[in-house]
Structures are given as C-alpha cells and as structure tokens.
Amino acid sequence: MSEMIKITYREALKAGIREALTNDERVFLMGEDVGRYGGAFAVSKGLLQEFGEDRVMDVPLSESGFVGAGIGASLAGMKPIVEVMTVNFGLLPMDQIVNNAATMLHMSGGQINVPVVIRMSCGIGKQLAAQHSHSWEPLFAHIPGLVVLSVGTHEDARGMLHTALEHPDPVIIFEYTSMLNREAEIPADAGPMDISLAKVRREGKDISIITYGIGVHKSMEAAEKLAEQGIDAEVIDLRVLRPLDEKCFLESVVKTHRALLVEEAWGSINVSSEVSARIMEKAFFDLDAPVKRLGGVEVPIPYPLHLENASVPQVDDIVNAVIKILRP
Amino acid sequence: MENQKNIEPQKAADLLYQMLLMRKFEEKSAELYTKEKIRGFLHLYIGEEAVATGVIQTLKPEDYILGTYREHAHALARGVDAGAIMAEMYGKQEGCSRGRGGSMHLFDKEKNFFGGNAIVSGHLPMATGMALASKKLKKGNITVCFFGEGAAAEGEFHEALNLASLWKVPVLFVCENNLYAMGTALRYSHSMQELEKKGQAYGIESAAVDGMDLLRVMEAATKAVDLVRSTGNPYLLVCNTYRFRAHSMFDAELYRDKAEVEEWKKRDPIPQFREYLLKENLINEEQIGEMEERLKQEIQKAVDFAEAGTWEPEEDLGKFVYTQNSAS
Ligand SMILES: Cc1ncc(C[n+]2csc(CCOP(=O)(O)OP(=O)(O)O)c2C)c(N)n1
C-alpha cells in the first residue's frame, strides 16, 4: 500500500483539474469566475496564473451560451471542462445539455461525439435558502445520453475527472459544496478512478444502505453508530447515477435482504425511486422487508438552520430508519 | 440584377443547377409528404435558395456548417448526397443520419455539416464554441451558422454573439430573415427591425443583403467570409428573403395575405438568376433544357435510393445513445 496523504475535497478536485490541464493541451477550463476570482469556491485558485487565460477562461454570465460553446468546442476537437458555478444555475444551460449534448450522437446516427465534461457543485448546507440549495442530480440522471457522476469521496474528487475526460460522451460531474473543506486520507499517488461502477464503501451483512454524494458520509457515520448497537450495515456509494450500476446494489441486497435508500434530492421521482424499482423487479424474492427510502422533504429549502437540517435526511434519521427495519 | 463580378459560365451553370436542385428536391419532398413517404415535420426553403447557395459556395470543405430544421438546401449545397438526404427523410438507415434524425436533423461529419438543429437558436452557442476550438487548435477554418430572424429574439443569439466577439473567434452568423417566425411577423417579434444593427451591440461587423439576389448574396458572403478568415473575428450577415411556402406542412398560413406572397414570388431568386444568365449569354436555352433533364434524373435517383432503403432493425433501438454501444 502506498503512502497516504491528508487532503481536502477541494484540494483533491483541484489536483484533478491541474493534472488534466498539464497532461493534455486540448483540455481547458471554462466557467464563471474560474480564473481571476479563483473559482467561486476557490477550487481553481491559482490555475489561471499557472496555465494562462487560454487554458483557464473566465466567461460572462451566460450559462446557456458558454455551456453550448463548450459543447461546440468538444465537437471540434477540444476537451473542455465546463464549470457551471452551481447546479442552481444549471437550468439555464439545461437545453444545451439535454437537446444538444445528449442527443447529437443519436440524431447523427452515431457520427458525432460530444466529449464534453460539465462540472457543477451542488447540495444543501450553508443556509442559502430555496434558490441556492438544490439537489438536482435526478433531473440530469433522467437523460439518456449523459453520464452522470456524483463525487462522494476524496479519491473520486481526485480521479473521476481524468476518466470523464477520456469518455467519448458528455459527462456531468456533481461535486458537493459542503464537502469542500472536509479532510480525508488518500494514497499519495491516487490517480484515475473508474466511472462506470458503484462501490461498496463499507461491508456489512444486515442491511444495504444505498446512497450517493454527501449521503455517503452520513451513511458511513450512521453505520458506525449502528455497529455500536450490533447492527452490521453495508454502505453502497452509487457514484454513477446514469447509467446505474445495478449489479452492485442488487448483489448487496441479495446478501443483506434489506435496503434503505438515502439521498438529499426531493423524495419522490428521485434516484432512489429508480433503485427501489429495480430492486422490486430484480431482487424482490430476496427481500425480508420492504425497501425504505429516505429522501429530501418536498419543500423549497428554507433559510433557518433548524428547518434546513430538517429538510434532508440526517445521520440519526438513517440510524432510526435502519433500526425500524431490523427491529420493527 | 447587376453583374457585380464577372462570373465564369461553368460556375454560373453550376450555381443555377444547385438552386434548381434545391427547388425540385423540395417540391418532390412536398409531394412525397402528401403520399406519406415523408412524415414528421417538413420545413421547406423554397424562395430562400439564393441564401444557402450564395453563402456556402464561398466556403472551403474544412469549414464547419450548422443549420436549422430548414436545412435541406444547405445540406445539398454542402454536397451531402441527395439520395442520403431523401433516405433520411424516409427514415431509412441509408440516410445521412441513419434515419435517426429525419428532415430536421441532417448530419454529415465528413462534409463538416453539423445539423439539422431544431431548437430555435440552440445551435448558436455551439457554433461559437466550434469556432473557439478552431482558434485554439489553430485550424484556420471558420464556422458558419444559419438561423432565422425568429431565432435572433432568443437569449442564446445574444449570448452567442457576445461570446464570439469577446473571444474573437472565426464564426459567420447568417440570419435568414424570411420575415416570419411561424406566423409571427418580424414587426411582432423585434423591437428594432434592422437586424444587422444587432451586431453593433456586440462590436460585431455586420451587413444586410438582398437575399433574393444570388449575386448580391455571393458578393456579401465573399466579403464576410474573407473578413472572418483573415481577421479571425465574427461577422453577422443578414439576408433578407422570403419563404414562399408554409412554415411547415401543418401551417394554414392564416397570418399573411396571398397577395403578399405573390408579390414576393415576382422576385423569385431562381428565374431571376436564369434570366440574368441568358441575358448575359452565360447560358443558353438548350443548356437549360439539358440541365432540367439531369435534375429530373438526379431526383429520381434520390427517390429510388430512399425507396430501396431499409429499416433499421428494432433490436438496434438502443444504439447511439452512448458511444460504447454504437458499433454498427
Ligand atoms: C426554442 C424553440 N421555441 C419554439 C420552437 C417552435 N418553432 C419552430 S420553428 C419556429 C419559428 C422560427 O422562426 P425563424 O427563426 O425566423 O426561422 P424560420 O422557421 O422562419 O426559418 C418556432 C417558433 C422551437 N423549435 N424551439
């Protein structure tokens, strides 16, 4: 095992971008305030100075325009990393993403590839209120033609971008603002990460907690608490929200016979809905208890901290839900 | 029509042939539509042929072209095979987009023809991005993007022009002002109707030209293309034209007088150009007769090709969503 280093999620993201810019002349980063400002969340701080303004491009407020331009640049041989400051502004370029990036290969009968990578930060957690706290991974995960990634760990923060840039199709990467300052250990030589598989983050035999993004950390914490009570939970990080790696979570459910699905996105018609449906279709007879979902409460996210916290599943909610399933 | 430039007899004949091909091809398409060979939306370019002909004849094969859903003529001008276009409209897998696109989504990567884009104005940001890639990769080619005056009311028009000018990228925006966006006349969609002036707001050089006069379009396009190529800067060319037919095959044309259409037909670009060539002795009646015979054959060949085409097997439905499962 190689040497481990302590790194923040932000540093891991930055290392990934930096490496991509270093390795391939065709890669460039474009987005609002990625350069002179240093990145809205300081992820790209210093990269403008290091790589120059052709490689790290500040763009005006025109999400549809510059995301479309990123798509166009990818059609014509570049490898753009397009940053949409946060998913909250992600509906403005939604047309470009859904109607251009996701359709071009198909409409052209397989002729035209769109190898664009679009990064968006997302999630709740700083009392930013209704318009700035969105968890819209499911909106994008609904679209055939897109690869949708959720960066739930530091290793993925470091290594998913590399693989996304090698993918011939459009990749959307969701990063979690509330994790930026979080530290974790990763191997000093951490490199490219796979972008096709879900991963078991903690093995267990009593129940499968299936989640992604910030939910991974909450679920891991919950699993530790549950262990103190003699419950051995398995935690699965979906990582790739489209196309879903169902083999991973179905195998887990077949082993544990129980499933709790956790995510922050609004509770109905979210990623868990799909996971639940697939478990019903493909592992129903292996279940010892009904599948349970814990999703976001279906309200615009309120400003006060206590209400914000109440809007999404917390560690104790996960613990309680698991206990209810196992010890009804 | 004045002779702005001396025109070689062979070139004159080719241009006339091209416009006639567009016209006859679309007349045939309309007929095949009533026979239900072609379905879906079918938008005819009849009346506007001088624009696509005049602009595209100035381009080099390596230049990129993006069109709208009213793009049969542009594809023909670009040299996309008439049979492959017809087969596409039939939905056959021998079509230029394997039948997956239909009339509105003609693509031909080898010809650098990038659609066939049916979200009004959605392709403008992509055009800016393709030109950005050409600049970064020092390719030396330019991007030409066609769209209607209706599209110029969309936000993406403004974003794409601003970005193109800000980044100084080699893109020629060609606004085909046919005075109607479906049933909405120019005066009901634009507060300021001299559309070429919109370039000024973004520091983009622009011109308006009589789009019914092939020689004038050629002259204006040559100037525009030379400028874009030599300076690397964007340009806005407004071609004032008129669509003789309905917006699509579903349009009852309640919004305009028949008399207005008849008035414009007096300026039909094709007879206008033919008369000019005859008058200047650049062509004779016999040659025109031969030309019409050749046209008939080319169109019949295209129809035969489409008729003989095959349906893609239903098992292939899932192809071309991701590159991985797109092998043919
Ligand atoms: C974003 C969007 N809104 C509405 C439509 C429906 N629509 C299709 S064509 C059209 C009119 C466009 O007019 P114009 O840009 O002038 O082009 P023309 O059809 O006259 O060539 C409309 C409203 C669409 N396809 N896309």
Side-chain angles (χ1 to χ4, degrees), chain A residues 95, chain B residues 43 48 68-70 118-122 147-152 154 156 176-182 243 247:
Chain A
D95 174 62
Chain B
H43 305 91
E48 307 182 39
T68 68
Y69 42 86
R70 198 184 298 287
I119 300 299
V120 169
S121 220
F147 55 92
E149 88 292 340
E154 292 276 7
E156 280 169 321
E176 306 177 305
N177 172 21
N178 61 16
L179 295 178
Y180 292 91
M182 290 183 65
R243 114 175 109 64
H247 166 73

Side-chain angles (χ1 to χ4, degrees), chain B residues 81-320:
Chain B
D81 178 65
I85 298 173
M86 191 58 87
E88 186 61 35
M89 298 205 283
Y90 270 58
K92 301 286 182 75
Q93 58 183 338
E94 290 77 9
C96 61
S97 306
R98 291 184 139 259
R100 296 275 176 140
S103 158
M104 299 196 289
H105 302 301
L106 305 176
F107 286 86
D108 190 333
K109 194 177 182 188
E110 280 193 356
K111 295 269 169 19
N112 282 315
F113 193 77
F114 290 85
N117 296 280
I119 300 299
V120 169
S121 220
H123 57 310
L124 274 72
M126 288 200 292
T128 295
M130 294 181 80
L132 175 68
S134 292
K135 178 176 178 175
K136 283 182 180 293
L137 295 166
K138 301 189 171 57
K139 282 194 182 170
N141 63 344
I142 74 169
T143 299
V144 179
C145 179
F146 294 89
F147 55 92
E149 88 292 340
E154 292 276 7
E156 280 169 321
F157 166 84
H158 299 274
E159 294 190 16
L161 262 69
N162 182 49
L163 294 176
S165 181
L166 189 66
W167 297 339
K168 302 194 191 324
V169 297
V171 53
L172 171 60
F173 294 105
V174 181
C175 179
E176 306 177 305
N177 172 21
N178 61 16
L179 295 178
Y180 292 91
M182 290 183 65
T184 303
L186 176 65
R187 66 183 177 284
Y188 298 124
S189 59
H190 283 277
S191 54
M192 196 279 295
Q193 292 149 28
E194 291 151 276
L195 300 172
E196 64 280 7
K197 287 190 182 165
K198 292 184 193 282
Q200 286 172 20
Y202 304 105
I204 293 182
E205 203 167 322
S206 64
V209 63
D210 177 359
M212 305 304 272
D213 183 332
L214 177 63
L215 292 178
R216 285 187 191 277
V217 175
M218 281 168 61
E219 186 189 32
T222 303
K223 183 180 162 216
V225 167
D226 287 351
L227 220 81
V228 173
R229 224 183 276 289
S230 61
T231 63
N233 288 331
Y235 192 97
L236 171 64
L237 179 62
V238 178
C239 300
N240 293 313
T241 181
Y242 198 79
R243 114 175 109 64
F244 294 168
R245 297 291 185 106
H247 166 73
S248 73
M249 304 305 276
F250 299 131
D251 166 14
E253 292 188 77
L254 304 173
Y255 48 86
R256 63 183 185 185
D257 275 349
K258 290 245 171 343
E260 178 186 295
V261 182
E262 290 314 310
E263 203 47 45
W264 274 92
K265 281 186 178 167
K266 291 180 188 161
R267 303 190 45 218
D268 189 329
I270 298 178
Q272 222 189 131
F273 187 58
R274 187 178 50 213
E275 293 318 309
Y276 168 78
L277 296 185
L278 285 168
K279 196 182 97 216
E280 297 287 318
N281 288 320
L282 289 163
I283 205 164
N284 59 40
E285 291 289 359
E286 196 191 327
Q287 287 167 312
I288 291 176
E290 279 168 18
M291 194 178 273
E292 280 171 352
E293 197 46 45
R294 243 190 324 137
L295 274 168
K296 227 183 257 166
Q297 285 169 16
E298 178 163 2
I299 285 162
Q300 193 52 50
K301 206 175 112 203
V303 174
D304 292 345
F305 180 76
E307 286 285 343
T310 55
W311 303 108
E312 198 171 13
E314 226 170 283
E315 305 88 82
D316 287 356
L317 178 61
K319 278 188 177 179
F320 314 122

Side-chain angles (χ1 to χ4, degrees), chain A residues 137-138 141 147-153 156 160 174 176 194-202 208-217 219-220 234-253 259-265 270-276 278-279 293-294:
Chain A
E137 297 93 326
V147 174
V148 180
L149 309 180
S150 166
V151 183
T153 64
D156 279 346
M160 272 181 155
F174 285 109
Y176 296 86
D194 151 273
I195 58 166
S196 64
L197 301 172
K199 278 195 179 155
V200 178
R201 296 292 180 200
R202 182 188 196 282
S208 306
I209 304 177
I210 304 168
T211 184
Y212 63 89
I214 196 82
V216 175
H217 296 270
S219 300
M220 292 295 276
E234 179 146 302
V235 177
I236 291 182
D237 176 1
L238 290 171
R239 300 177 71 246
V240 188
L241 306 183
R242 173 175 279 273
L244 272 178
D245 173 20
E246 63 177 27
K247 188 164 168 283
C248 176
F249 64 78
L250 289 174
E251 277 174 9
S252 175
V253 170
L260 173 69
L261 319 183
V262 177
E263 72 181 298
E264 300 205 334
N270 58 10
V271 174
S272 301
S273 313
E274 179 61 25
V275 171
S276 171
R278 295 206 196 182
I279 294 172
R293 284 186 292 157
L294 274 184

Side-chain angles (χ1 to χ4, degrees), chain A residues 39-234:
Chain A
F41 306 103
V43 169
S44 51
K45 198 167 150 196
L47 295 179
L48 169 69
Q49 290 71 18
E50 186 174 351
F51 293 96
E53 58 184 28
D54 282 345
R55 310 288 310 285
V56 179
M57 287 177 68
D58 279 324
V59 301
L61 284 149
S62 46
E63 286 80 4
S64 191
F66 73 77
V67 171
I71 293 166
S74 80
L75 294 177
M78 292 299 288
K79 296 227 153 239
I81 305 169
V82 186
E83 175 176 314
V84 174
M85 195 180 278
T86 76
V87 75
N88 306 295
F89 321 126
L91 297 193
L92 282 85
M94 194 67 162
D95 174 62
Q96 291 295 327
I97 295 169
V98 177
N99 271 315
N100 289 339
T103 58
M104 204 68 72
L105 180 70
H106 186 90
M107 291 194 306
S108 69
Q111 292 177 81
I112 314 262
N113 280 106
V114 186
V116 70
V117 173
I118 301 171
R119 299 171 41 240
M120 303 190 204
S121 69
C122 67
I124 179 176
K126 287 250 187 301
Q127 287 191 258
L128 300 180
Q131 293 180 335
H132 284 74
S133 303
H134 288 297
S135 298
W136 275 336
E137 297 93 326
L139 291 184
F140 292 86
H142 184 63
I143 314 298
L146 300 180
V147 174
V148 180
L149 309 180
S150 166
V151 183
T153 64
H154 288 58
E155 266 193 308
D156 279 346
R158 174 70 182 81
M160 272 181 155
L161 178 67
H162 177 99
T163 321
L165 283 164
E166 288 183 338
H167 203 287
D169 301 317
V171 181
I172 313 286
I173 305 183
F174 285 109
E175 302 162 359
Y176 296 86
T177 320
S178 63
M179 285 173 64
L180 287 169
N181 291 329
R182 196 184 278 254
E183 284 193 325
E185 292 204 329
I186 65 170
D189 61 353
M193 298 299 284
D194 151 273
I195 58 166
S196 64
L197 301 172
K199 278 195 179 155
V200 178
R201 296 292 180 200
R202 182 188 196 282
E203 284 192 33
K205 60 177 188 340
D206 295 332
I207 187 168
S208 306
I209 304 177
I210 304 168
T211 184
Y212 63 89
I214 196 82
V216 175
H217 296 270
K218 290 183 176 176
S219 300
M220 292 295 276
E221 219 180 305
E224 293 310 316
K225 287 193 174 184
L226 287 162
E228 290 165 15
Q229 304 191 35
I231 294 173
D232 186 15
E234 179 146 302

